[in-house]
């Protein structure tokens, strides 16, 4: 379900990875740069969002600064137990997302809780429930990222 | 950090996104009973505190055709992992980059860099670029492709429920 992006759309997607100014007319600068009106810029972004190419436009919050705690976790699930363990793990509302990956550690999920203490408590509960060790990979440092589509 | 009740209201009103109009803050401010200038000031404060990282858009990698997703992991010398992590994170195709603790003996990797691409071959080629950037400081590496999304719930701040 992908569609071809216009050069303008590619530019917009890339520019929206940067920071827009916190001003009354946040699209003004971008509009001038692209030789468009502010209405046109807002309209193109709206189309990209409505077509699902952008998931969201708005402020990006630091989840930890909002008071929550997060931790990447992994379990080496024996293949024959995968569906059973998956049902148990996904039943926890603290499991925010969960990916299957092609490795001995084949289940990777993020725990999102109200406090740091709840991270270890939830991981221990999952260990008891599944009988499998849960490895914790908390973020020690985040590096600046710069995602770009090919222009 | 604790948010003031007003900050919480602002987070709740904007976390699903801003309206795509020429003056989005004016629209949100009106719904909150604030002036546009008051809302912008408060958002600037939240940004200065690090609660807001940026104002922008999140791409949908899948819909953009970037269906291959590889978590590249690296065992990098602790003395240089932070300076190299900055360089890896700045690569245009790396979407997340973190230093995380090792889980020895099974998991020697302390640097995680997520790479998206249209095909696995493309992701593997990008991984080679990371490898050459890391050079001798990197003792080992691996790549874990995602084969299935098992759950995906967006992060949402819950309203105070007493």
């Amino acid at each position: 379900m992908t569609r071809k992006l216009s050069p303008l759309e590619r530019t917009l997607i890339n520019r929206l990875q940067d920071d827009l100014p916190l001003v009354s007319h946040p699209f003004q600068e971008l509009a001038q740069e692209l030789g468009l009106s502010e209405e046109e810029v807002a309209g193109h972004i709206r189309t990209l969002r409505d077509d699902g190419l952008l998931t969201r436009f708005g402020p990006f919050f630091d989840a930890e600064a909002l008071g929550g705690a997060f931790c990447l976790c992994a379990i080496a699930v024996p293949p024959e137990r995968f569906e059973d363990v998956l049902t148990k793990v996904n039943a926890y509302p603290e499991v925010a997302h969960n990916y299957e990956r092609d490795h001995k550690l084949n289940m990777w999920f993020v725990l999102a809780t109200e406090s740091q203490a709840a991270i270890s408590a939830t991981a221990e509960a999952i260990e008891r429930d599944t009988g499998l060790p849960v490895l914790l990979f908390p973020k020690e440092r985040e590096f600046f990222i710069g995602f770009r589509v090919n222009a | 950090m604790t948010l003031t009740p007003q900050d919480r209201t602002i987070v709740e009103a904007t976390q699903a996104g801003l309206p795509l109009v020429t003056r989005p803050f004016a629209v949100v401010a009106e719904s909150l009973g604030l002036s546009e200038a008051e809302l912008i000031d408060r958002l600037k404060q939240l940004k200065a505190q690090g609660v807001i990282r940026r104002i922008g858009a999140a791409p949908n990698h899948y819909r953009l055709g970037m269906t291959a997703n590889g978590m590249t992991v690296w065992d990098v010398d602790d003395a240089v992992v932070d300076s190299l992590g900055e360089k890896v994170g700045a690569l245009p195709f790396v979407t997340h980059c973190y230093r995380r603790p090792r889980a020895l003996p099974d998991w020697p990797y302390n640097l995680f860099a997520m790479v998206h691409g249209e095909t696995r071959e493309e992701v593997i080629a990008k991984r080679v670029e990371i490898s050459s950037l890391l050079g001798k400081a990197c003792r080992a590496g691996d790549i874990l492709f995602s084969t299935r999304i098992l759950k995906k719930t967006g992060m949402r701040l819950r309203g105070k429920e007493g």
Side-chain angles (χ1 to χ4, degrees), chain B residues 16-28:
Chain B
L18 292 171
L20 282 158
V21 295
T22 55
R23 288 173 61 193
F25 303 116
V27 175
V28 175

Side-chain angles (χ1 to χ4, degrees), chain A residues 19 46 55 60 62 98 141, chain B residues 20 47 51 53 58 86 150:
Chain A
D19 198 9
R46 197 161 52 227
T55 52
F60 280 73
D62 181 307
N98 191 354
R141 175 142 177 209
Chain B
L20 282 158
K47 194 160 171 214
V51 173
R53 295 173 166 195
E86 293 288 347
L150 305 171

